[in-house]
Amino acid sequence: MDSFDEDLIRALQLDGRAQFSTLANELGVHRTLVAQRVNELLESDEIRVLAAVHPSAVGLPVQVNLQVRISGPTTPVFERLLEFPNVVFLSEISGQSQAVVEVWAADLEDVGRSVREIQAIEGVVEAQFTIYDRVLRRLRLGRDPEPSDLVFDDFDIALMAELQTDGRLTFGELARRTGRSASACRARTLRLLESRVMRIGAVRRRRTATSSVLSGFGVMLTGQEDTQASVEKMLLELPTIEFAARTLGRYSIIATIAARSLPDFTDIARRIREHPSVHLVETWIHAHVWLERYEWGMDRILQHAREETS
């Protein structure tokens, strides 16, 4: 995959509904080329453009990252982890641990139950978990919505359900599927996007040949009070950062960065390690992403909507 594809996918990750003309202007190419390549990427299933609903909107405000060590065959463990309904990201990684698992939970009791169930899987010998204290960057979801924006009606839920399937559906097609007018669909979709309850972007199929290296960083700081902000600023300025969070547990910060190549990954790791406020950095490569979940069933959204209004 060449640099044009990488730049195009990155632009679609940030705005999955961007018009071809907008993408062409941003990338400095002709609109026809953009339209052709986007359609090819979609038809080949290299990317999907989907709406991601914020975890707070589905009643899962607590998120944790687990690094799992596995003894023996790994495939049965990953297949078992795929059965967990609240596992949203699952990756086979390089390094001392064999898996990274991200779990969304309703509360700390729910976290404890999930961790114990994962630890009980045959072959799992250790599961170290870190709680996200504050998410700083989430490429597919953005900042937390305001509590007042987490109240939905049936129209909101119908739109989210359709856009979770295909985030580039036209407002006319959304109107046909929901029984509302195109203008009403447009206004309500924009409200959901502006409130940060929902975000639409490209999800790439990370199992094909690509020069991109999806890498994880666990950053431990020196402990001085003013250190965290400067490290966070440095990380958020990296152009291909996909995720960053302040964390409680093993690390001070966890980040996911899509390096353009192994040399680029090495340069990023060196830059982070050279920061005077960084005490230690542990890295891993996401060698095989088993699951990257952004869609949620109507029942989950409806259940939380009823809980919020009751």
Side-chain angles (χ1 to χ4, degrees):
M1 183 173 291
D2 60 24
S3 59
F4 170 70
D5 277 356
E6 293 291 348
D7 291 340
L8 178 58
I9 291 173
R10 179 71 178 183
L12 287 168
Q13 286 175 324
L14 295 171
D15 183 1
R17 291 183 68 85
Q19 296 182 351
F20 293 145
S21 57
T22 302
L23 292 169
N25 289 335
E26 181 178 337
L27 299 174
V29 296
H30 196 277
R31 179 189 180 281
T32 304
L33 175 60
V34 169
Q36 176 184 339
R37 192 63 188 124
V38 169
N39 288 328
E40 289 172 350
L41 290 168
L42 291 169
E43 289 170 5
S44 67
D45 201 33
E46 172 63 29
I47 63 169
R48 298 174 297 154
V49 177
L50 307 172
V53 178
H54 197 279
S56 298
V58 291
L60 301 171
V62 183
Q63 296 103 53
V64 298
N65 176 291
L66 290 93
Q67 292 201 359
V68 179
R69 296 183 68 185
I70 301 169
S71 175
T74 57
T75 298
V77 176
F78 281 99
E79 290 175 343
R80 178 70 183 89
L81 288 167
L82 288 172
E83 298 173 3
F84 282 64
N86 58 343
V87 169
V88 300
F89 182 81
L90 176 61
S91 175
E92 195 162 357
I93 64 171
S94 64
Q96 187 177 29
S97 298
Q98 286 69 53
V100 163
V101 187
E102 183 173 328
V103 172
W104 290 2
D107 49 36
L108 290 178
E109 183 179 349
D110 193 17
V111 169
R113 182 167 49 251
S114 297
V115 171
R116 288 190 293 272
E117 289 177 358
I118 290 172
Q119 290 172 325
I121 297 173
E122 184 177 357
V124 170
V125 296
E126 185 180 33
Q128 295 185 346
F129 73 96
T130 305
I131 297 177
Y132 298 155
D133 182 35
R134 178 185 173 191
V135 175
L136 306 168
R137 171 70 54 80
R138 190 184 262 125
L139 180 64
R140 295 281 290 115
L141 288 169
R143 293 179 294 119
D144 291 347
E146 296 295 328
S148 59
D149 292 318
L150 297 174
V151 179
F152 315 120
D153 59 20
D154 292 344
F155 186 21
D156 291 318
I157 294 170
L159 285 171
M160 286 190 283
E162 295 294 344
L163 291 167
Q164 283 187 127
T165 302
D166 183 352
R168 288 187 70 87
L169 286 172
T170 66
F171 294 124
E173 180 61 22
L174 286 171
R176 188 186 70 79
R177 297 187 183 196
T178 62
R180 306 295 182 101
S181 68
S183 60
C185 289
R186 181 181 185 278
R188 192 62 69 91
T189 298
L190 292 178
R191 186 186 73 81
L192 288 168
L193 293 171
E194 290 166 1
S195 69
R196 304 188 296 276
V197 165
M198 177 181 77
R199 188 169 183 177
I200 299 173
V203 179
R204 67 188 306 164
R205 187 163 62 96
R206 301 190 190 265
R207 301 184 186 183
T208 55
T210 173
S211 61
S212 180
V213 179
L214 190 67
S215 51
F217 294 80
V219 182
M220 304 175 203
L221 303 180
T222 57
Q224 299 173 9
E225 290 186 6
D226 60 345
T227 61
Q228 190 155 322
S230 62
V231 177
E232 290 172 0
K233 182 175 184 295
M234 174 195 64
L235 288 171
L236 295 178
E237 288 174 349
L238 295 171
T240 57
I241 189 165
E242 294 199 359
F243 177 83
R246 294 180 188 172
T247 54
L248 302 173
R250 180 177 179 82
Y251 306 115
S252 306
I253 301 171
I254 286 180
T256 303
I257 301 169
R260 293 301 180 94
S261 61
L262 281 174
D264 185 33
F265 162 73
T266 303
D267 288 342
I268 292 169
R270 286 172 178 162
R271 179 177 173 186
I272 296 172
R273 287 189 171 104
E274 288 168 359
H275 193 287
S277 300
V278 170
H279 172 62
L280 186 65
V281 178
E282 294 183 357
T283 65
W284 53 91
I285 300 295
H286 293 281
H288 183 91
V289 176
W290 285 74
L291 174 69
E292 199 168 2
R293 184 206 306 272
Y294 297 103
E295 58 272 21
W296 294 91
M298 290 280 288
D299 55 342
R300 177 82 218 185
I301 300 174
L302 283 166
Q303 176 188 346
H304 184 61
R306 293 192 187 104
E307 291 172 354
E308 289 295 302
T309 56
S310 61

